[in-house]
Short mmCIF file of all heavy atoms in Angstrom, two decimals:
data_model
loop_
_atom_site.label_atom_id
_atom_site.label_comp_id
_atom_site.label_asym_id
_atom_site.label_seq_id
_atom_site.Cartn_x
_atom_site.Cartn_y
_atom_site.Cartn_z
N HIS A 294 -11.42 14.22 -11.46
CA HIS A 294 -10.33 14.64 -10.56
C HIS A 294 -9.58 15.82 -11.10
O HIS A 294 -9.03 16.64 -10.37
CB HIS A 294 -9.41 13.43 -10.34
CG HIS A 294 -8.57 13.60 -9.11
ND1 HIS A 294 -9.07 14.02 -7.90
CD2 HIS A 294 -7.22 13.41 -8.91
CE1 HIS A 294 -8.09 14.05 -7.01
NE2 HIS A 294 -6.97 13.71 -7.61
N ARG A 295 -9.51 15.92 -12.46
CA ARG A 295 -8.79 17.07 -13.03
C ARG A 295 -9.57 18.37 -12.85
O ARG A 295 -8.98 19.41 -12.72
CB ARG A 295 -8.45 16.80 -14.50
CG ARG A 295 -7.30 15.82 -14.58
CD ARG A 295 -6.93 15.36 -15.97
NE ARG A 295 -5.96 14.25 -15.81
CZ ARG A 295 -5.73 13.35 -16.70
NH1 ARG A 295 -6.34 13.36 -17.85
NH2 ARG A 295 -4.84 12.36 -16.45
N MET A 296 -10.88 18.26 -12.82
CA MET A 296 -11.65 19.44 -12.45
C MET A 296 -11.31 19.89 -11.03
O MET A 296 -11.04 21.04 -10.71
CB MET A 296 -13.15 19.18 -12.55
CG MET A 296 -13.97 20.34 -12.03
SD MET A 296 -15.79 20.01 -12.09
CE MET A 296 -16.21 19.95 -10.38
N THR A 297 -11.24 18.89 -10.15
CA THR A 297 -10.92 19.16 -8.73
C THR A 297 -9.51 19.78 -8.61
O THR A 297 -9.33 20.83 -8.01
CB THR A 297 -10.97 17.86 -7.88
OG1 THR A 297 -12.21 17.24 -8.13
CG2 THR A 297 -10.78 18.13 -6.43
N CYS A 298 -8.52 19.06 -9.15
CA CYS A 298 -7.13 19.49 -8.95
C CYS A 298 -6.80 20.74 -9.74
O CYS A 298 -6.06 21.59 -9.29
CB CYS A 298 -6.19 18.37 -9.40
SG CYS A 298 -6.10 17.06 -8.22
N GLY A 299 -7.38 20.85 -10.93
CA GLY A 299 -7.03 22.00 -11.77
C GLY A 299 -7.85 23.25 -11.46
O GLY A 299 -7.32 24.32 -11.41
N GLY A 300 -9.15 23.07 -11.26
CA GLY A 300 -10.02 24.21 -11.25
C GLY A 300 -10.64 24.53 -9.88
O GLY A 300 -11.46 25.46 -9.79
N THR A 301 -10.29 23.79 -8.87
CA THR A 301 -10.93 24.11 -7.60
C THR A 301 -9.90 24.23 -6.44
O THR A 301 -9.74 25.28 -5.88
CB THR A 301 -12.03 23.06 -7.23
OG1 THR A 301 -11.47 21.87 -6.71
CG2 THR A 301 -12.91 22.75 -8.41
N CYS A 302 -9.15 23.13 -6.14
CA CYS A 302 -8.33 23.22 -4.91
C CYS A 302 -7.17 24.20 -5.10
O CYS A 302 -6.82 24.91 -4.16
CB CYS A 302 -7.88 21.85 -4.43
SG CYS A 302 -6.65 21.04 -5.42
N LYS A 303 -6.56 24.26 -6.27
CA LYS A 303 -5.42 25.17 -6.45
C LYS A 303 -5.88 26.62 -6.36
O LYS A 303 -5.11 27.50 -6.00
CB LYS A 303 -4.73 24.90 -7.79
CG LYS A 303 -4.19 23.49 -7.95
CD LYS A 303 -3.34 23.02 -6.78
CE LYS A 303 -2.91 21.58 -6.86
NZ LYS A 303 -3.96 20.54 -6.85
N VAL A 304 -7.15 26.86 -6.69
CA VAL A 304 -7.73 28.20 -6.53
C VAL A 304 -7.67 28.59 -5.05
O VAL A 304 -7.27 29.70 -4.67
CB VAL A 304 -9.15 28.24 -7.06
CG1 VAL A 304 -9.81 29.61 -6.84
CG2 VAL A 304 -9.18 27.89 -8.56
N GLY A 305 -8.08 27.63 -4.19
CA GLY A 305 -8.03 27.88 -2.76
C GLY A 305 -6.60 28.09 -2.27
O GLY A 305 -6.32 28.97 -1.45
N PHE A 306 -5.68 27.28 -2.82
CA PHE A 306 -4.25 27.46 -2.42
C PHE A 306 -3.76 28.85 -2.82
O PHE A 306 -3.04 29.51 -2.09
CB PHE A 306 -3.38 26.43 -3.12
CG PHE A 306 -3.56 24.99 -2.64
CD1 PHE A 306 -2.93 23.92 -3.29
CD2 PHE A 306 -4.36 24.69 -1.57
CE1 PHE A 306 -3.09 22.61 -2.88
CE2 PHE A 306 -4.57 23.37 -1.12
CZ PHE A 306 -3.90 22.35 -1.80
N MET A 307 -4.16 29.27 -4.05
CA MET A 307 -3.68 30.57 -4.51
C MET A 307 -4.25 31.71 -3.64
O MET A 307 -3.59 32.74 -3.48
CB MET A 307 -4.09 30.76 -5.99
CG MET A 307 -3.17 29.98 -6.94
SD MET A 307 -4.05 29.66 -8.46
CE MET A 307 -2.91 30.10 -9.69
N ASN A 308 -5.43 31.53 -3.11
CA ASN A 308 -5.95 32.52 -2.18
C ASN A 308 -5.00 32.74 -1.02
O ASN A 308 -4.74 33.86 -0.59
CB ASN A 308 -7.32 32.09 -1.60
CG ASN A 308 -8.45 32.23 -2.61
OD1 ASN A 308 -8.27 32.89 -3.64
ND2 ASN A 308 -9.58 31.62 -2.36
N GLN A 309 -4.47 31.61 -0.51
CA GLN A 309 -3.54 31.75 0.63
C GLN A 309 -2.24 32.47 0.20
O GLN A 309 -1.73 33.33 0.90
CB GLN A 309 -3.16 30.37 1.14
CG GLN A 309 -4.22 29.75 2.00
CD GLN A 309 -3.62 28.82 3.09
OE1 GLN A 309 -2.44 28.58 3.17
NE2 GLN A 309 -4.48 28.31 3.97
N ILE A 310 -1.77 32.09 -1.01
CA ILE A 310 -0.49 32.67 -1.46
C ILE A 310 -0.68 34.18 -1.72
O ILE A 310 0.17 34.98 -1.29
CB ILE A 310 -0.02 31.97 -2.75
CG1 ILE A 310 0.25 30.48 -2.47
CG2 ILE A 310 1.22 32.65 -3.33
CD1 ILE A 310 0.60 29.64 -3.67
N ILE A 311 -1.79 34.51 -2.35
CA ILE A 311 -2.01 35.94 -2.65
C ILE A 311 -2.19 36.72 -1.35
O ILE A 311 -1.63 37.82 -1.20
CB ILE A 311 -3.25 36.10 -3.58
CG1 ILE A 311 -2.93 35.52 -4.96
CG2 ILE A 311 -3.66 37.56 -3.70
CD1 ILE A 311 -4.13 35.34 -5.87
N GLY A 312 -2.90 36.16 -0.39
CA GLY A 312 -3.09 36.84 0.87
C GLY A 312 -1.77 37.12 1.58
O GLY A 312 -1.52 38.21 2.09
N ALA A 313 -0.88 36.12 1.57
CA ALA A 313 0.43 36.26 2.21
C ALA A 313 1.24 37.32 1.48
O ALA A 313 1.94 38.16 2.11
CB ALA A 313 1.17 34.93 2.25
N CYS A 314 1.19 37.31 0.17
CA CYS A 314 1.97 38.31 -0.61
C CYS A 314 1.46 39.72 -0.33
O CYS A 314 2.26 40.67 -0.20
CB CYS A 314 1.86 38.03 -2.09
SG CYS A 314 2.79 36.60 -2.60
N LYS A 315 0.16 39.83 -0.23
CA LYS A 315 -0.42 41.17 0.05
C LYS A 315 0.02 41.65 1.42
O LYS A 315 0.41 42.83 1.59
CB LYS A 315 -1.93 41.06 -0.05
CG LYS A 315 -2.68 42.38 -0.04
CD LYS A 315 -2.50 43.16 -1.32
CE LYS A 315 -2.98 44.63 -1.09
NZ LYS A 315 -2.27 45.59 -1.95
N LEU A 316 0.01 40.80 2.41
CA LEU A 316 0.44 41.17 3.75
C LEU A 316 1.92 41.59 3.71
O LEU A 316 2.29 42.62 4.29
CB LEU A 316 0.27 40.00 4.73
CG LEU A 316 -1.17 39.77 5.20
CD1 LEU A 316 -1.24 38.45 5.99
CD2 LEU A 316 -1.68 40.91 6.06
N ILE A 317 2.74 40.84 3.02
CA ILE A 317 4.16 41.15 3.00
C ILE A 317 4.41 42.47 2.29
O ILE A 317 5.23 43.30 2.70
CB ILE A 317 4.97 40.01 2.33
CG1 ILE A 317 5.00 38.81 3.29
CG2 ILE A 317 6.38 40.42 1.97
CD1 ILE A 317 5.59 37.54 2.75
N GLN A 318 3.66 42.73 1.23
CA GLN A 318 3.74 44.03 0.53
C GLN A 318 3.49 45.15 1.57
O GLN A 318 4.22 46.14 1.57
CB GLN A 318 2.69 44.10 -0.58
CG GLN A 318 2.73 45.41 -1.33
CD GLN A 318 1.50 45.60 -2.23
OE1 GLN A 318 0.41 45.16 -1.89
NE2 GLN A 318 1.70 46.29 -3.33
N GLU A 319 2.49 44.97 2.39
CA GLU A 319 2.14 46.02 3.40
C GLU A 319 3.20 46.10 4.49
O GLU A 319 3.61 47.18 4.90
CB GLU A 319 0.75 45.75 3.98
CG GLU A 319 -0.35 45.97 2.90
CD GLU A 319 -1.71 45.45 3.30
OE1 GLU A 319 -1.91 45.09 4.49
OE2 GLU A 319 -2.56 45.38 2.39
N TYR A 320 3.71 44.92 4.96
CA TYR A 320 4.75 44.96 6.00
C TYR A 320 5.95 45.74 5.51
O TYR A 320 6.63 46.43 6.26
CB TYR A 320 5.22 43.53 6.35
CG TYR A 320 4.22 42.59 6.93
CD1 TYR A 320 4.36 41.20 6.78
CD2 TYR A 320 3.12 43.06 7.68
CE1 TYR A 320 3.45 40.32 7.32
CE2 TYR A 320 2.21 42.16 8.21
CZ TYR A 320 2.36 40.79 8.03
OH TYR A 320 1.46 39.91 8.56
N LYS A 321 6.28 45.58 4.19
CA LYS A 321 7.46 46.24 3.67
C LYS A 321 7.20 47.67 3.23
O LYS A 321 8.12 48.32 2.75
CB LYS A 321 7.99 45.45 2.43
CG LYS A 321 8.57 44.07 2.79
CD LYS A 321 9.05 43.36 1.51
CE LYS A 321 9.73 42.07 1.86
NZ LYS A 321 10.05 41.23 0.67
N GLY A 322 5.98 48.13 3.32
CA GLY A 322 5.63 49.48 2.87
C GLY A 322 5.77 49.65 1.39
O GLY A 322 6.18 50.68 0.84
N LEU A 323 5.37 48.59 0.65
CA LEU A 323 5.51 48.60 -0.82
C LEU A 323 4.17 48.75 -1.53
O LEU A 323 4.03 48.38 -2.71
CB LEU A 323 6.19 47.28 -1.28
CG LEU A 323 7.68 47.19 -1.03
CD1 LEU A 323 8.19 45.79 -1.32
CD2 LEU A 323 8.44 48.19 -1.90
N GLU A 324 3.21 49.32 -0.81
CA GLU A 324 1.85 49.39 -1.40
C GLU A 324 1.82 50.13 -2.73
O GLU A 324 0.98 49.93 -3.57
CB GLU A 324 0.89 50.10 -0.44
CG GLU A 324 0.52 49.29 0.78
CD GLU A 324 1.42 49.64 1.96
OE1 GLU A 324 2.60 49.89 1.73
OE2 GLU A 324 0.90 49.59 3.09
N LYS A 325 2.78 51.07 -2.88
CA LYS A 325 2.73 51.87 -4.13
C LYS A 325 3.69 51.34 -5.21
O LYS A 325 3.81 51.94 -6.26
CB LYS A 325 3.04 53.33 -3.80
CG LYS A 325 1.99 53.96 -2.90
CD LYS A 325 1.96 55.48 -3.10
CE LYS A 325 0.76 56.04 -2.38
NZ LYS A 325 1.15 57.01 -1.33
N ALA A 326 4.37 50.25 -4.90
CA ALA A 326 5.31 49.72 -5.91
C ALA A 326 4.54 49.14 -7.07
O ALA A 326 3.82 48.12 -6.91
CB ALA A 326 6.23 48.67 -5.27
N ALA A 327 4.68 49.78 -8.23
CA ALA A 327 3.85 49.39 -9.37
C ALA A 327 4.10 47.91 -9.79
O ALA A 327 3.12 47.19 -10.09
CB ALA A 327 4.13 50.33 -10.55
N HIS A 328 5.35 47.50 -9.74
CA HIS A 328 5.59 46.11 -10.26
C HIS A 328 5.00 45.08 -9.28
O HIS A 328 4.54 44.04 -9.74
CB HIS A 328 7.09 45.88 -10.45
CG HIS A 328 7.91 45.75 -9.22
ND1 HIS A 328 8.20 46.81 -8.41
CD2 HIS A 328 8.46 44.66 -8.63
CE1 HIS A 328 8.93 46.40 -7.37
NE2 HIS A 328 9.08 45.07 -7.50
N ILE A 329 4.98 45.40 -7.99
CA ILE A 329 4.37 44.43 -7.05
C ILE A 329 2.85 44.38 -7.27
O ILE A 329 2.23 43.32 -7.25
CB ILE A 329 4.70 44.80 -5.59
CG1 ILE A 329 6.19 44.96 -5.40
CG2 ILE A 329 4.06 43.83 -4.59
CD1 ILE A 329 6.91 43.94 -4.64
N ASN A 330 2.27 45.54 -7.44
CA ASN A 330 0.79 45.56 -7.70
C ASN A 330 0.49 44.79 -8.97
O ASN A 330 -0.50 44.08 -9.06
CB ASN A 330 0.28 46.99 -7.74
CG ASN A 330 0.21 47.57 -6.35
OD1 ASN A 330 -0.11 46.86 -5.40
ND2 ASN A 330 0.54 48.84 -6.22
N ASP A 331 1.38 44.92 -9.95
CA ASP A 331 1.17 44.23 -11.20
C ASP A 331 1.30 42.72 -11.00
O ASP A 331 0.51 41.90 -11.55
CB ASP A 331 2.20 44.72 -12.20
CG ASP A 331 1.82 44.42 -13.60
OD1 ASP A 331 0.69 44.73 -13.97
OD2 ASP A 331 2.64 43.79 -14.31
N GLN A 332 2.28 42.33 -10.17
CA GLN A 332 2.48 40.88 -9.91
C GLN A 332 1.27 40.31 -9.15
O GLN A 332 0.79 39.21 -9.44
CB GLN A 332 3.75 40.69 -9.09
CG GLN A 332 5.01 40.86 -9.91
CD GLN A 332 6.27 40.86 -9.05
OE1 GLN A 332 6.24 41.31 -7.91
NE2 GLN A 332 7.34 40.34 -9.60
N LEU A 333 0.79 41.10 -8.22
CA LEU A 333 -0.42 40.64 -7.47
C LEU A 333 -1.60 40.46 -8.43
O LEU A 333 -2.34 39.47 -8.33
CB LEU A 333 -0.78 41.62 -6.35
CG LEU A 333 0.10 41.52 -5.11
CD1 LEU A 333 -0.01 42.79 -4.27
CD2 LEU A 333 -0.29 40.29 -4.28
N MET A 334 -1.73 41.42 -9.32
CA MET A 334 -2.85 41.34 -10.26
C MET A 334 -2.65 40.11 -11.19
O MET A 334 -3.64 39.42 -11.49
CB MET A 334 -2.96 42.59 -11.10
CG MET A 334 -4.27 42.61 -11.86
SD MET A 334 -4.47 44.08 -12.79
CE MET A 334 -4.58 45.33 -11.54
N GLU A 335 -1.43 39.84 -11.57
CA GLU A 335 -1.20 38.71 -12.43
C GLU A 335 -1.62 37.39 -11.70
O GLU A 335 -2.23 36.50 -12.26
CB GLU A 335 0.28 38.61 -12.85
CG GLU A 335 0.53 37.45 -13.81
CD GLU A 335 1.98 37.34 -14.28
OE1 GLU A 335 2.75 38.29 -14.11
OE2 GLU A 335 2.34 36.24 -14.79
N MET A 336 -1.28 37.37 -10.39
CA MET A 336 -1.70 36.16 -9.61
C MET A 336 -3.22 36.04 -9.58
O MET A 336 -3.73 34.92 -9.67
CB MET A 336 -1.19 36.28 -8.18
CG MET A 336 0.27 36.07 -8.02
SD MET A 336 0.61 35.84 -6.29
CE MET A 336 2.08 36.72 -6.08
#
Side-chain angles (χ1 to χ4, degrees):
H294 199 46
R295 285 175 189 158
M296 172 181 115
T297 307
C298 284
T301 79
C302 71
K303 302 309 175 296
V304 176
F306 291 174
M307 283 156 134
N308 285 345
Q309 283 211 355
I310 298 174
I311 293 168
C314 287
K315 189 71 194 152
L316 284 171
I317 289 173
Q318 179 193 35
E319 290 167 12
Y320 297 154
K321 290 180 175 171
L323 285 170
E324 289 93 326
K325 294 205 172 120
H328 72 287
I329 305 252
N330 285 324
D331 198 51
Q332 286 172 326
L333 281 162
M334 192 178 295
E335 186 180 342
M336 287 194 219

